[in-house]
PDB file of all heavy atoms in Angstrom:
ATOM      1  N   ASP X 186     -25.202  22.846   2.985  1.00  0.00           N
ATOM      2  CA  ASP X 186     -25.819  24.174   3.129  1.00  0.00           C
ATOM      3  C   ASP X 186     -24.899  25.173   3.767  1.00  0.00           C
ATOM      4  O   ASP X 186     -24.866  26.356   3.350  1.00  0.00           O
ATOM      5  CB  ASP X 186     -27.055  24.108   4.112  1.00  0.00           C
ATOM      6  CG  ASP X 186     -28.278  23.630   3.393  1.00  0.00           C
ATOM      7  OD1 ASP X 186     -28.181  23.237   2.209  1.00  0.00           O
ATOM      8  OD2 ASP X 186     -29.350  23.607   4.060  1.00  0.00           O
ATOM      9  N   VAL X 187     -24.092  24.702   4.732  1.00  0.00           N
ATOM     10  CA  VAL X 187     -23.147  25.622   5.381  1.00  0.00           C
ATOM     11  C   VAL X 187     -22.143  26.058   4.352  1.00  0.00           C
ATOM     12  O   VAL X 187     -21.887  27.290   4.189  1.00  0.00           O
ATOM     13  CB  VAL X 187     -22.480  24.890   6.588  1.00  0.00           C
ATOM     14  CG1 VAL X 187     -21.285  25.684   7.080  1.00  0.00           C
ATOM     15  CG2 VAL X 187     -23.450  24.656   7.710  1.00  0.00           C
ATOM     16  N   GLU X 188     -21.541  25.067   3.611  1.00  0.00           N
ATOM     17  CA  GLU X 188     -20.580  25.394   2.618  1.00  0.00           C
ATOM     18  C   GLU X 188     -21.052  26.364   1.562  1.00  0.00           C
ATOM     19  O   GLU X 188     -20.378  27.392   1.272  1.00  0.00           O
ATOM     20  CB  GLU X 188     -20.055  24.076   2.005  1.00  0.00           C
ATOM     21  CG  GLU X 188     -18.972  24.188   0.966  1.00  0.00           C
ATOM     22  CD  GLU X 188     -17.736  24.904   1.481  1.00  0.00           C
ATOM     23  OE1 GLU X 188     -17.371  24.691   2.617  1.00  0.00           O
ATOM     24  OE2 GLU X 188     -17.082  25.682   0.696  1.00  0.00           O
ATOM     25  N   GLN X 189     -22.273  26.101   1.091  1.00  0.00           N
ATOM     26  CA  GLN X 189     -22.848  26.990   0.077  1.00  0.00           C
ATOM     27  C   GLN X 189     -23.063  28.368   0.548  1.00  0.00           C
ATOM     28  O   GLN X 189     -22.767  29.353  -0.105  1.00  0.00           O
ATOM     29  CB  GLN X 189     -24.189  26.348  -0.461  1.00  0.00           C
ATOM     30  CG  GLN X 189     -24.709  27.018  -1.712  1.00  0.00           C
ATOM     31  CD  GLN X 189     -26.010  26.506  -2.114  1.00  0.00           C
ATOM     32  OE1 GLN X 189     -26.403  25.342  -1.819  1.00  0.00           O
ATOM     33  NE2 GLN X 189     -26.852  27.372  -2.727  1.00  0.00           N
ATOM     34  N   SER X 190     -23.611  28.496   1.790  1.00  0.00           N
ATOM     35  CA  SER X 190     -23.834  29.821   2.391  1.00  0.00           C
ATOM     36  C   SER X 190     -22.552  30.581   2.497  1.00  0.00           C
ATOM     37  O   SER X 190     -22.457  31.812   2.154  1.00  0.00           O
ATOM     38  CB  SER X 190     -24.494  29.709   3.777  1.00  0.00           C
ATOM     39  OG  SER X 190     -25.613  28.923   3.697  1.00  0.00           O
ATOM     40  N   LEU X 191     -21.441  29.871   2.983  1.00  0.00           N
ATOM     41  CA  LEU X 191     -20.183  30.605   3.090  1.00  0.00           C
ATOM     42  C   LEU X 191     -19.631  31.039   1.735  1.00  0.00           C
ATOM     43  O   LEU X 191     -19.074  32.158   1.640  1.00  0.00           O
ATOM     44  CB  LEU X 191     -19.153  29.684   3.826  1.00  0.00           C
ATOM     45  CG  LEU X 191     -19.575  29.267   5.242  1.00  0.00           C
ATOM     46  CD1 LEU X 191     -18.599  28.122   5.769  1.00  0.00           C
ATOM     47  CD2 LEU X 191     -19.424  30.505   6.169  1.00  0.00           C
ATOM     48  N   GLN X 192     -19.902  30.193   0.718  1.00  0.00           N
ATOM     49  CA  GLN X 192     -19.419  30.584  -0.597  1.00  0.00           C
ATOM     50  C   GLN X 192     -20.145  31.802  -1.127  1.00  0.00           C
ATOM     51  O   GLN X 192     -19.603  32.599  -1.898  1.00  0.00           O
ATOM     52  CB  GLN X 192     -19.586  29.440  -1.603  1.00  0.00           C
ATOM     53  CG  GLN X 192     -18.376  28.439  -1.497  1.00  0.00           C
ATOM     54  CD  GLN X 192     -18.581  27.300  -2.387  1.00  0.00           C
ATOM     55  OE1 GLN X 192     -19.425  27.259  -3.300  1.00  0.00           O
ATOM     56  NE2 GLN X 192     -17.767  26.265  -2.161  1.00  0.00           N
ATOM     57  N   GLU X 193     -21.398  31.979  -0.688  1.00  0.00           N
ATOM     58  CA  GLU X 193     -22.164  33.146  -1.082  1.00  0.00           C
ATOM     59  C   GLU X 193     -21.786  34.381  -0.289  1.00  0.00           C
ATOM     60  O   GLU X 193     -22.416  35.399  -0.478  1.00  0.00           O
ATOM     61  CB  GLU X 193     -23.640  32.862  -0.891  1.00  0.00           C
ATOM     62  CG  GLU X 193     -24.270  31.862  -1.930  1.00  0.00           C
ATOM     63  CD  GLU X 193     -25.647  31.358  -1.507  1.00  0.00           C
ATOM     64  OE1 GLU X 193     -26.186  31.773  -0.524  1.00  0.00           O
ATOM     65  OE2 GLU X 193     -26.121  30.475  -2.269  1.00  0.00           O
ATOM     66  N   GLY X 194     -20.866  34.254   0.661  1.00  0.00           N
ATOM     67  CA  GLY X 194     -20.383  35.434   1.414  1.00  0.00           C
ATOM     68  C   GLY X 194     -21.020  35.530   2.834  1.00  0.00           C
ATOM     69  O   GLY X 194     -20.680  36.517   3.522  1.00  0.00           O
ATOM     70  N   VAL X 195     -21.768  34.524   3.266  1.00  0.00           N
ATOM     71  CA  VAL X 195     -22.312  34.539   4.608  1.00  0.00           C
ATOM     72  C   VAL X 195     -21.187  34.361   5.572  1.00  0.00           C
ATOM     73  O   VAL X 195     -20.230  33.617   5.302  1.00  0.00           O
ATOM     74  CB  VAL X 195     -23.372  33.426   4.740  1.00  0.00           C
ATOM     75  CG1 VAL X 195     -23.687  33.132   6.179  1.00  0.00           C
ATOM     76  CG2 VAL X 195     -24.639  33.750   3.974  1.00  0.00           C
ATOM     77  N   ASP X 230     -13.987  28.745   7.110  1.00  0.00           N
ATOM     78  CA  ASP X 230     -14.563  30.038   6.666  1.00  0.00           C
ATOM     79  C   ASP X 230     -15.616  30.546   7.559  1.00  0.00           C
ATOM     80  O   ASP X 230     -16.086  31.712   7.321  1.00  0.00           O
ATOM     81  CB  ASP X 230     -15.145  29.902   5.238  1.00  0.00           C
ATOM     82  CG  ASP X 230     -13.991  29.546   4.288  1.00  0.00           C
ATOM     83  OD1 ASP X 230     -12.893  30.090   4.524  1.00  0.00           O
ATOM     84  OD2 ASP X 230     -14.236  28.816   3.304  1.00  0.00           O
TER      85      ASP X 230
END
Side-chain angles (χ1 to χ4, degrees):
D186 277 6
V187 169
E188 182 55 38
Q189 193 185 329
S190 306
L191 295 169
Q192 276 177 16
E193 287 165 5
V195 165
D230 294 327

